[in-house]
Amino acid sequence: MADTLLQLANHPFSAPLVRALGLPQPKVLRRSQGTFLSKELAGRATLLLAAPGGLAEAACRAALTDLGAQAATTGPLHALVIDLTGLASVDDLNYLHGTARAAIGQLASSARVLLLASADAQGVEAAACARAVEGFTRALAKEVGRRGATANLLYLPAEVASSAANLTGALAFFCSDRSAYVSGQALRLQPGRGMASPVQPGGAFVGKTAVVTGAAGGIGAATARRLAADGARVLCVDVPQAQAALSSLAAELKGQALALDITAPDAGAKLVAATTTTTTTATTTATTTATATTTATTTTTTTTTTTTTTTTAATSGIDILIHNAGITRDRTLQRMSDAEWHSVMNVNLRAVINIDRALDAAGALNANAREVCLASISGIAGNAGQTNYSASKAALIGHVQARSVALQARGITVNAVAPGFIETAMTGRMPMMIREAGRRLNALSQGGQPGDVAEAIAFLARGDASGVSGQTLRVCGQSLLGA
Ligand code: NAD
C-alpha cells in the first residue's frame, strides 16, 4: 500500500505544504540492494572515535578497513562508530556531550551511528555509565531519525571488543544501508564460535539449505528472495491455498515449494523429509572367482568370494530456518472467540515449538545452523485487541532465549526479529486510521519494507553472526510502542 505522505513530503511541489501543515516529514530512506559484498562499506565516509580507555578501537579499525570503509575526519559522515567501552566514571560521560556531539553534527542524511559499550563493566559506576550509553543511543536515534539516520548500540564483553573477527558482521550491518529501518536498538555480542568467512564467492549462503515458512508473500517472500540472492537453496513453505504464488516464487529462486499447513501434526516430519535426502541403502555385490590347480593330483579348486558394499546417501539437513508464518485474529479479550484465540496460538506458537521438536528429534538442523523466529513489537509492548497475538509473539521471544542455550553447544544460534509496522498484506488489512498511526509512530515517521526485515534476518543468518544468540532484534524504525 502506497505511503502518500512519504511521497508528498519528498516532492518539491508538495513538501512546503506538508511542512506548513505541521505534518510529519518522513525522508526517503537509502536502502542496500542485492547480495552481501566483501567490502560492504566501500566508499562510506566513516569516522571512528574512542573515548579514553576504549577496548574496541583497534579491532574496530581493523574490521572497518577490511570492510572497505573510507576513513574520514570531517563530514558529511555516512557512518560514525563511537567506542565507549572504556567509560568508568560520570565525568567520562562528558565525552558524549563534547567530542561525540561535534561528530554527530556532521552526519549525512541516512547516516548510521553505532555506539559500543562495555557488557562487563567493572564496578557500580562503570556499569551505570555503560547503561547511560543505552539511554543516550535511544534519545539520539529519535533526534537523527528526522534526517532518515539511525543510532544503535552494541554491548561488548572485553574479549569480543578486542577481536575484529567478532565485530565484522555487526559493523557490516549496522554501518551500512542494510539496517535502514533498525534504530534505537541495543544488541549484545558474545564470543563467536564456528565462524565462517562473511562472504564467499557466489554469496554468503552458498551451499546452505534454508527453510522459510509463510513464504508466499510479504516478509516471507522477501526473506526467501534475500537468502537465495546470496546463494541459499530455499525451501519455500506456505498453505496449500497459496500454492500458485508459492510455486512461482520457488521457480523464480530455483528453489523448492512445499504446500504445507504448519499446524498439521506431521508438519515437522514433512519438513525433515523435504530437507534431508532419503537415506538409501544401495547394496552392490561383487563376485570374485579364484581358481587354484594342484598339478600332482590334477585337482582344481574354485573359490568364490562375495563382497557386499553398502552406500548410504549423505543427508543435507537445514542450515537456516526462518519461522515466519504468522496470523492475526484481532478482537478485545472479552469478545474474542475460542477459534480466534486458538488459531493464533496454533500458527504463531504451537507450530513453531512442534516443528522445532520434530527437527531436533530427527537431527535435521546442521551444526552452526541459524534459526530466526518472527516475533513482533506487539509481543514487547502489547496491543489492545491483540491479547492472542501479543502473547504468541512474546512467547517466541522466550522461546529463542531458552532454545539458544539448549543449542549453543552445536554452534546453532536462535534469535527473533521483531518487526514494527511493515508494509505488507497483513498491515494493508488494518483500518485506515490505525494503519496511518502505525506508520507514523516511530522515529523515521514511516513504515518499513519487507526487505528491511529480510536484511535483518540475513544478518542473523550469516556465519559471522555466531556471537548473537537468544536475542530479539527489532526492525521497527524505533517504534514508540514498547520502546
Ligand atoms: P502476511 O500475512 O503477508 O504473510 C504471512 C504468510 O504466512 C502468508 O503467506 C500466509 O499464507 C502464511 N501462513 C499463515 N498461516 C500459515 C500456516 N498455518 N501454514 C503455513 N503458512 C501460513 O504477513 P507478513 O506481514 O509478511 O508477516 C510475516 C511475519 O511477520 C508474521 O509472523 C507476522 O506476525 C510478523 N510480523 C509482521 C508485521 C507487519 O507489520 N507486517 C509486524 C510484526 C510482525
Side-chain angles (χ1 to χ4, degrees), residues 212-222 237-242 245-246 258-264 267 323-329 343 346-348 351 355 373-379 389 392-393 396 417-430 448 450 453 457 475:
V212 180
T213 67
I219 293 169
V237 181
D238 211 301
V239 287
Q241 299 90 302
L246 196 63
L258 179 64
L260 173 70
D261 182 335
I262 57 164
T263 64
H323 286 297
N324 165 76
I327 59 168
T328 51
R329 295 289 180 271
S343 55
N346 288 343
V347 176
N348 295 5
I355 286 172
C373 294
L374 270 287
S376 165
I377 55 166
S378 278
Y389 185 76
S392 69
K393 294 299 186 179
L396 291 179
V417 162
F421 183 99
I422 306 296
E423 305 279 0
T424 67
M426 185 180 269
T427 47
R429 286 190 288 269
M430 287 176 166
V453 185
I457 292 170
V475 185

Side-chain angles (χ1 to χ4, degrees), residues 63-84:
L64 289 170
T65 304
D66 277 356
L67 290 164
Q70 183 189 317
T73 47
T74 56
L77 299 172
H78 298 131
L80 171 63
V81 181
I82 312 176
D83 175 11
L84 299 159

Side-chain angles (χ1 to χ4, degrees), residues 263 327 329 336 338-354 386-396:
T263 64
I327 59 168
R329 295 289 180 271
M336 189 176 290
D338 282 358
E340 285 162 341
W341 175 267
H342 290 307
S343 55
V344 167
M345 285 302 166
N346 288 343
V347 176
N348 295 5
L349 179 59
R350 199 186 307 276
V352 172
I353 291 175
N354 284 345
Q386 289 197 319
T387 47
N388 50 357
Y389 185 76
S390 299
S392 69
K393 294 299 186 179
L396 291 179

